């Protein structure tokens, strides 16, 4: 059965791959699972039909038969559990990969999102100039720790996993800030993620949202592809 995910009808990032549906698209591409995309307007996100899928009125959602999921981390975890390629076979390595998924969402992403809020929504506040450097210092604390752990390795724990997928996408939210450039190994780490064929396919799918193509044509023909093991 081909799953259907939801994405913004008009994404605030204008197709730069920063919206959370990108994580789900990437995961599906990595495992070679075709999918459909249903575009949702901001108005529709607050209507009962969508709220039944996502109680907080956000995207993405994931529907497969009688299963409906929300939260990008939970969806990616489900995909990784159902298909090979995103979680190691070894039990201990598998647990560590899952730990990195949680670390990306619960430890690294929060200060990055706090910075986005400060830049986009709080710029006119009298305390903005004092607060922003403190937020960015908290980001640097986390990046310094992550950089130290990664060292000169290609991925966080052996082969590429769902943990790397989530971490790379979280770090991409720093694009344009200049902060990630301060950590050469993390910049290279993100570049390796972006260079994966599955990432490129997922990223290329998004411009269709802005060129008027129907959602039926957004189905990814991933079935039968050879997934990269880089």
């Amino acid at each position: 059965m081909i799953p259907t995910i939801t994405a913004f009808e008009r994404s605030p990032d204008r197709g730069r791959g920063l919206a959370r549906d990108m994580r789900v698209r990437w995961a599906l591409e990595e495992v070679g699972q075709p999918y459909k995309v249903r575009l949702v307007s901001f108005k529709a996100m607050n209507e009962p039909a969508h709220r039944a899928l996502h109680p907080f009125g956000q995207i993405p959602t994931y529907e497969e038969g009688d299963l409906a999921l929300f939260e990008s981390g939970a969806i990616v975890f489900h995909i990784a559990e159902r298909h090979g390629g995103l979680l190691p076979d070894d039990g201990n390595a598998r647990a560590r990969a899952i730990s990195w998924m949680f670390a990306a969402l619960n430890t690294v992403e929060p200060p990055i999102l706090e910075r986005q809020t400060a830049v986009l929504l709080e710029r006119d506040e009298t305390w903005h100039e004092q607060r922003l450097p403190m937020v960015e210092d908290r980001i640097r604390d986390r990046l310094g720790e992550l950089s130290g752990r990664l060292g000169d390795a290609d991925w966080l724990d052996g082969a590429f996993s769902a943990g790397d997928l989530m971490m790379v996408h979280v770090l991409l939210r720093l694009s344009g800030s200049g902060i990630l450039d301060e950590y050469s190994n993390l910049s290279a780490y993100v570049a390796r993620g972006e260079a994966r064929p599955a990432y490129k396919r997922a990223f290329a799918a998004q411009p269709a949202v802005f060129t008027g193509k129907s959602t039926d044509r957004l189905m990814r023909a991933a079935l039968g592809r050879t997934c990269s093991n880089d």
Side-chain angles (χ1 to χ4, degrees):
M1 183 172 294
I2 297 175
T4 297
I5 68 171
T6 52
F8 287 121
E9 184 179 73
R10 287 290 179 265
S11 179
D13 76 347
R14 302 299 298 172
R16 291 189 297 137
L18 303 182
R20 286 181 175 87
D21 65 281
M22 178 64 186
R23 302 169 182 178
V24 178
R25 294 174 188 261
W26 185 5
L28 289 165
E29 293 286 358
E30 287 284 352
V31 302
Q33 171 63 54
Y35 60 99
K36 295 181 179 180
V37 180
R38 186 173 68 253
L39 304 181
V40 183
S41 68
F42 286 107
K43 178 182 178 182
M45 287 167 63
N46 286 315
E47 292 176 353
H50 186 73
R51 289 276 182 170
L53 297 173
H54 198 309
F56 305 106
Q58 299 176 0
I59 59 96
T61 61
Y62 176 100
E63 298 169 79
E64 185 178 11
D66 59 359
L67 174 65
L69 297 174
F70 63 98
E71 291 295 330
S72 61
I75 297 170
V76 170
F77 180 64
H78 170 75
I79 294 167
E81 286 271 273
R82 289 280 293 270
H83 305 274
L86 282 176
L87 289 175
D89 292 331
D90 175 75
N92 288 345
R94 189 181 188 90
R96 291 194 299 270
I98 295 169
S99 293
W100 280 116
M101 291 182 67
F102 278 85
L105 296 175
N106 294 346
T107 302
V108 178
E109 188 171 41
I112 294 174
L113 293 179
E114 191 177 0
R115 181 186 181 276
Q116 287 186 327
T117 298
V119 170
L120 297 175
L121 302 178
E122 300 173 352
R123 184 176 295 276
D124 295 332
E125 300 292 346
T126 56
W127 35 261
H128 172 77
E129 291 187 6
Q130 289 74 37
R131 182 171 183 269
L132 184 59
M134 293 189 293
V135 172
E136 292 183 339
D137 283 345
R138 287 197 287 273
I139 294 172
R140 290 185 176 94
D141 287 343
R142 292 307 186 201
L143 295 190
E145 293 161 343
L146 181 63
S147 174
R149 179 58 181 264
L150 179 65
D152 59 1
D154 284 345
W155 307 112
L156 291 169
D157 194 288
F160 177 85
S161 75
D164 294 296
L165 186 153
M166 297 301 292
M167 189 67 76
V168 167
H169 192 259
V170 164
L171 294 178
L172 278 167
R173 287 179 169 268
L174 289 170
S175 299
S177 71
I179 298 176
L180 191 64
D181 298 335
E182 299 171 19
Y183 305 87
S184 59
N185 64 336
L186 294 184
S187 294
Y189 170 65
V190 169
R192 280 191 292 275
E194 292 179 291
R196 293 181 68 82
Y199 178 91
K200 291 180 178 180
R201 290 193 298 269
F203 188 87
Q206 294 182 102
V209 174
F210 302 102
T211 57
K213 294 181 180 179
S214 71
T215 55
D216 288 342
R217 293 172 64 190
L218 290 174
M219 183 190 299
R220 305 297 299 139
L223 192 61
R225 288 192 180 114
T226 300
C227 297
S228 171
N229 292 316
D230 294 346

